[in-house]
Amino acid sequence: MADAFSPPKLFVSYAWENREHRLWVKEIAVRLRLDGVEVLLDQWELAPGDELTAFMEKAVRDSDAVLVVCTPVYKAKADTRAGGVGYEGSVMTAELATGAPRRKFIPVLRRGEWKDSAPSWLLGSVYVDLRATGLELEEAYSDLLNTLHGRREAAPPVGSPPFPMSQPSEDLFEESDTRSTGTPDPPEEYPFILVRMLRTVAYDPETIELARGWLLRSDPETPSWSHVWNALIHVSPGDHEILELGRHWLLQTEPGNPAWTYVWNALMEVVPNDPELQELGRRWLLRG
C-alpha cells in the first residue's frame, strides 16, 4: 500500500501594504492549497486577541518552507526591522544562523526590480518571478510548485561514451552523417524557441508548421509539450487537429499536473460550449 500523502507546510511572509496586494497573496495561497500545499496565512490563522509574535515564531519554525513575497515595501520594512515584516525577518535570519537550510526560505518577486524588492539577507538568492502573466506566470508557478513538492527535474545519470575514446570525434560525426536515414532530434532548447517565436513574431505559417510537427512527434508527457501547445492554439485557434491534441492531452493527464488547468482554459476559450470539456471542468472542481 502506498504511503499516505503528507502535504508540505508553507508559511507566507509578506507586507500588508494595500488591499490589492493582500488579495493577490490570498489568491496565491488558495491556489497552492488546491495544489497540495498546506499554506499558513495570517489572514486565515489569526483572530482578534491572538499574540502576533508567537504566531510568527511558531509558523516560521514549524513550516517546511517560508514563501517570502518581495516588494519594495517589504524590503524597506525588513531592512529596517519595522513592524511585523521586520520581526519575521529577525526570526528567519535567526533560523538560518542556527542551522536551518537556506532553501527553506523561498523568495518570490511580486513587484519592482529584484535589487529594490529583496531584503538584504536574500539578495544573493535565486528567486521565482511572479510578476508576469499568461504562460510565463504559469511556468514560474510550476517551478514554485515543483520546488515545494520536491519534484524538480534532476540531472540524468551519466552514461558511457557512445564511441571508443581513441577514435577522433570529427570522423565519428562524418560516419554518423553518412549512416543516418532519419531526422535528427532537435536540441533541448528547441521547444522554448518555438514558444517565443509563436508569442512574439507576427503570424508566421512556417513557425506554425514547425510547432505542429514538433507536437505530433514529441511525447506529450514532456513538460514543454503543453507550453508549445498553448502557444500554438492562441495563434491558430481554428486548427481542429491541434484542438484534438489538446483534448487528448487533458484526458491522458492527471488534473494535478500544474499545466492541466491552463490547457483546459485555453480549450474553453476556443470551444466554450463543448460538453466534454465542461464535464472535465466539473470533475476538476469536485476532485477534492
Side-chain angles (χ1 to χ4, degrees):
M1 182 176 178
D3 293 337
F5 169 67
S6 179
K9 183 180 293 186
L10 175 74
F11 172 59
V12 183
S13 176
Y14 68 104
W16 274 51
E17 46 196 85
N18 54 48
R19 182 174 183 274
E20 179 270 334
H21 185 59
R22 294 196 297 272
L23 287 175
W24 181 88
V25 170
K26 183 184 287 188
E27 288 172 0
I28 285 292
V30 168
R31 185 172 183 185
L32 286 169
R33 287 187 70 91
L34 291 173
D35 286 331
V37 179
E38 183 183 350
V39 180
L40 298 177
L41 185 66
D42 55 2
Q43 298 180 52
W44 297 325
E45 304 294 331
L46 289 174
D50 287 344
E51 185 180 348
L52 181 59
T53 54
F55 166 73
M56 293 175 182
E57 293 170 7
K58 180 173 173 40
V60 171
R61 182 179 62 250
D62 295 348
S63 293
D64 300 307
V66 177
L67 194 71
V68 183
V69 182
C70 298
T71 66
V73 172
Y74 188 94
K75 175 181 176 62
K77 291 186 174 185
D79 286 352
T80 59
R81 292 296 192 260
V85 168
Y87 189 80
E88 285 176 1
S90 297
V91 175
M92 288 186 278
T93 52
E95 281 279 293
L96 281 173
T98 54
R102 192 170 184 86
R103 283 189 174 185
K104 176 174 180 174
F105 306 98
I106 304 173
V108 298
L109 180 59
R110 167 56 182 159
R111 188 177 293 115
E113 297 302 318
W114 178 241
K115 64 181 179 61
D116 302 318
S117 302
S120 299
W121 65 277
L122 274 176
L123 273 174
S125 300
V126 177
Y127 63 93
V128 181
D129 191 344
L130 294 182
R131 298 172 299 173
T133 58
L135 179 62
E136 290 182 356
L137 177 60
E138 292 303 314
E139 290 174 341
Y141 177 79
S142 295
D143 186 34
L144 172 62
L145 192 63
N146 287 333
T147 298
L148 292 170
H149 282 297
R151 60 186 188 193
R152 296 183 63 83
E153 183 178 4
V158 178
S160 301
F163 51 83
M165 296 303 291
S166 59
Q167 188 168 358
S169 59
E170 55 268 21
D171 293 340
L172 286 168
F173 287 133
E174 291 175 5
E175 291 179 15
S176 175
D177 290 342
T178 58
R179 292 194 304 265
S180 177
T181 57
T183 303
D185 291 335
E188 185 178 352
E189 298 85 357
Y190 187 85
F192 301 102
I193 301 298
L194 280 177
V195 169
R196 180 61 62 185
M197 290 288 289
L198 289 168
R199 295 188 64 205
T200 59
V201 178
Y203 186 85
D204 181 10
E206 184 177 9
T207 301
I208 290 173
E209 284 307 308
L210 288 173
R212 179 205 296 274
W214 185 88
L215 285 175
L216 290 171
R217 67 175 181 269
S218 299
D219 184 353
E221 294 186 6
T222 303
S224 54
W225 193 94
S226 60
H227 296 164
V228 174
W229 180 89
N230 270 286
L232 183 57
I233 199 65
H234 281 93
V235 298
S236 188
D239 191 316
H240 179 74
E241 185 176 29
I242 300 304
L243 285 172
E244 288 306 308
L245 282 175
R247 183 194 303 273
H248 181 73
W249 185 90
L250 283 178
L251 294 171
Q252 300 299 315
T253 304
E254 288 293 326
N257 186 302
W260 195 94
T261 53
Y262 197 56
V263 172
W264 178 85
N265 187 62
L267 280 169
M268 286 294 288
E269 288 179 358
V270 180
V271 283
N273 298 318
D274 188 297
E276 185 176 33
L277 293 177
Q278 292 174 352
E279 180 60 26
L280 285 175
R282 187 176 294 109
R283 290 178 187 173
W284 185 93
L285 290 174
L286 298 174
R287 80 189 196 281

